[in-house]
Amino acid sequence: MATAALEVGNNLQMITEMVRDFAKINIEPFRNKWDDEQYFPIEVFKKLGELGLMGVLVPQEYGGAGMTYNDYVAAIAELAVADPSIALSMAAHNSLCTGHILQFGNEEQKRKWLPKLATAEWIGAWGLTEPNTGSDAGNMKTTAVKDGDHWVLNGAKNFITHGKSGNIAVVIARTGAVGDSKGMTAFVVERGTKGFTAGKKEDKLGMRLSETAEMIFQDCRIPAENMLGKEGEGFIQSLKVLDGGRISIAALSLGIAEGAYRHALAYSKERQQFNQPISNFQAIAFKLADMAVEIEAAKLLTYQSADMKQRGLNVNKESAFAKYYASEVSCRVANDAVQIFGGYGYCKDYPVEKYYRDCKLCTIGEGTSEIQKLVISRAILK
């Protein structure tokens, strides 16, 4: 057991160092400019694909890296230290679009789409949320109607990561009655399909390097073989996909908190007030202590859920634990980091300002903190 644990630890360290080295060259010199311009750097994701990080969990037989969930968490977390929005896009591509096809696609579908996704030849999107149905996904308005050997999609999805630039999207559409959990079905739609267009790109507070846009479907005809699983399984599939997605957001949150903490710790030792480092003052030292403890707790919850997912166990409750706690911790730590930096923390010349803006998405995306409490409370009250 000790030898196995050592091997896992060494592997995670190697992944962390690989991502850190990659980010120093390919992300950090450009992130402020890209953030200001809200530029989505597809070229970075192509390079991440070369490292195997756009198909982390995809088996090698489909062109992926075939790594574990713990490897995946380590990669997202360290990428988030460099830039949270790059980590968000990497996670959404892996967990949602690619993950959905990996979990529920048949052999022909996996061989058709996974190699392109795993290498980042294609960037993936995943469409569940609509303008009037966020947490209330059961009342979605986007429909899919069978027409011979095709399905015809009509409707719109919003707040979609890579909704404009994605080459392929997994889309959940209503094929039955409104509110029926068995009335929704998952489909794969390739960019270039007639009737599939991009709508508005959102101008966001944070995560500005990660593209968020509408996807619009107007009499969009897709082959029947593009359906994932069986008709009526789309919503149930989505809930299982989101179990894994919560782990990725927990990892993202962990990286944000770790990044903000590292910068705050270093600054507290350098910044002099009253002829001594501000870290000498209990008000600052206690903030740093709280940050360190909360990060460690978030890390344990996140890696616990990742380990359970890797072993094929039900992670519904544990992934909600990790996502809820880690996302709230990221906001508390980022807030305290700005406070430690004082006026400089409010300026874009210093990195904690960006962590402060980016962290908030983690409490909203892939299920709000309130939804996580709902999931947790239902699990413990069964």
Side-chain angles (χ1 to χ4, degrees):
M1 286 293 288
T3 303
L6 182 61
E7 289 177 357
V8 169
N10 288 340
N11 195 42
L12 297 182
Q13 185 62 32
M14 287 173 58
I15 291 168
T16 298
E17 290 175 0
M18 177 183 73
V19 172
R20 188 178 301 160
D21 292 343
F22 174 88
K24 284 179 181 177
I25 297 169
N26 297 287
I27 299 173
E28 291 177 12
F30 315 106
R31 64 185 171 196
N32 288 350
K33 183 176 186 292
W34 290 345
D35 181 71
D36 288 341
E37 296 174 355
Q38 201 167 196
Y39 172 69
F40 178 55
I42 290 181
E43 64 275 16
V44 170
F45 297 100
K46 301 292 185 182
K47 292 176 182 176
L48 286 171
E50 293 172 7
L51 294 178
L53 295 180
M54 296 296 276
V56 181
L57 303 169
V58 177
Q60 293 179 359
E61 64 183 293
Y62 302 119
M67 291 193 271
T68 69
Y69 254 89
N70 281 341
D71 299 330
Y72 182 43
V73 166
I76 294 174
E78 193 59 34
L79 200 55
V81 172
D83 189 274
S85 47
I86 298 289
L88 172 64
S89 273
M90 177 269 213
H93 173 94
N94 274 281
S95 289
L96 300 180
C97 180
T98 305
H100 199 135
I101 295 170
L102 180 61
Q103 286 188 67
F104 299 105
N106 59 37
E107 190 62 25
E108 182 181 348
Q109 291 169 334
K110 289 178 183 179
R111 295 199 178 279
K112 180 178 182 181
W113 291 310
L114 288 180
K116 292 180 179 180
L117 287 164
T119 57
E121 178 184 346
W122 281 10
I123 302 296
W126 191 76
L128 178 66
T129 301
E130 298 185 359
N132 295 310
T133 56
S135 300
D136 184 18
N139 279 314
M140 67 174 57
K141 300 295 189 291
T142 298
T143 59
V145 177
K146 189 75 179 293
D147 182 19
D149 57 357
H150 283 73
W151 288 86
V152 181
L153 272 63
N154 280 284
K157 300 290 181 177
N158 75 332
F159 298 133
I160 306 304
T161 305
H162 315 143
K164 183 177 180 181
S165 297
N167 305 95
I168 183 173
V170 174
V171 180
I172 317 303
R174 184 163 56 79
T175 52
V178 173
D180 180 4
S181 63
K182 295 183 179 178
M184 288 163 276
T185 304
F187 301 92
V188 174
V189 188
E190 296 182 14
R191 187 71 64 180
T193 303
K194 186 177 180 180
F196 175 26
T197 57
K200 175 188 175 186
K201 179 180 176 180
E202 302 295 342
D203 187 6
K204 299 176 295 182
L205 168 72
M207 298 291 191
R208 291 171 62 83
L209 279 65
S210 179
E211 178 188 274
T212 306
E214 286 181 308
M215 296 192 302
I216 299 169
F217 305 93
Q218 188 171 7
D219 295 328
C220 178
R221 293 177 62 85
I222 57 172
E225 58 263 28
N226 283 27
M227 182 173 70
L228 291 172
K230 297 178 181 177
E231 182 178 344
E233 292 181 345
F235 187 64
I236 305 303
Q237 290 176 8
S238 297
L239 293 180
K240 292 178 180 178
V241 168
L242 286 171
D243 279 347
R246 290 189 193 114
I247 298 172
S248 67
I249 297 299
L252 172 61
S253 304
L254 186 60
I256 293 173
E258 183 66 39
Y261 169 71
R262 288 180 196 174
H263 285 287
L265 181 64
Y267 183 79
S268 74
K269 295 175 181 179
E270 297 165 2
R271 174 69 168 169
Q272 296 272 330
Q273 291 288 280
F274 306 103
N275 300 314
Q276 59 184 309
I278 62 172
S279 58
N280 285 358
F281 298 109
Q282 192 177 76
I284 302 299
F286 278 17
K287 279 188 189 299
L288 291 165
D290 285 338
M291 293 159 83
V293 170
E294 291 201 307
I295 289 170
E296 196 65 22
K299 186 181 296 183
L300 290 169
L301 283 171
T302 303
Y303 277 100
Q304 171 189 252
S305 61
D307 180 66
M308 290 177 64
K309 180 73 173 173
Q310 182 65 32
R311 289 187 285 134
L313 302 176
N314 186 329
V315 294
N316 180 255
K317 180 180 69 176
E318 285 76 14
S319 66
F321 279 169
K323 197 273 187 187
Y324 168 58
Y325 187 74
S327 64
E328 294 291 341
V329 163
S330 74
C331 289
R332 288 196 292 270
V333 169
N335 181 68
D336 281 346
V338 170
Q339 196 70 17
I340 288 170
F341 270 77
Y344 292 114
Y346 206 63
C347 300
K348 289 195 173 187
D349 291 337
Y350 292 83
V352 292
E353 176 269 346
K354 189 173 185 303
Y355 292 124
Y356 186 74
R357 287 186 290 112
D358 288 345
C359 70
K360 189 56 193 171
L361 185 277
C362 296
T363 69
I364 299 170
E366 295 193 39
T368 62
S369 289
E370 290 74 20
I371 289 295
Q372 304 314 312
K373 289 182 182 180
L374 182 65
V375 171
I376 293 165
S377 62
R378 284 177 174 172
I380 63 179
L381 291 171
K382 273 185 177 178

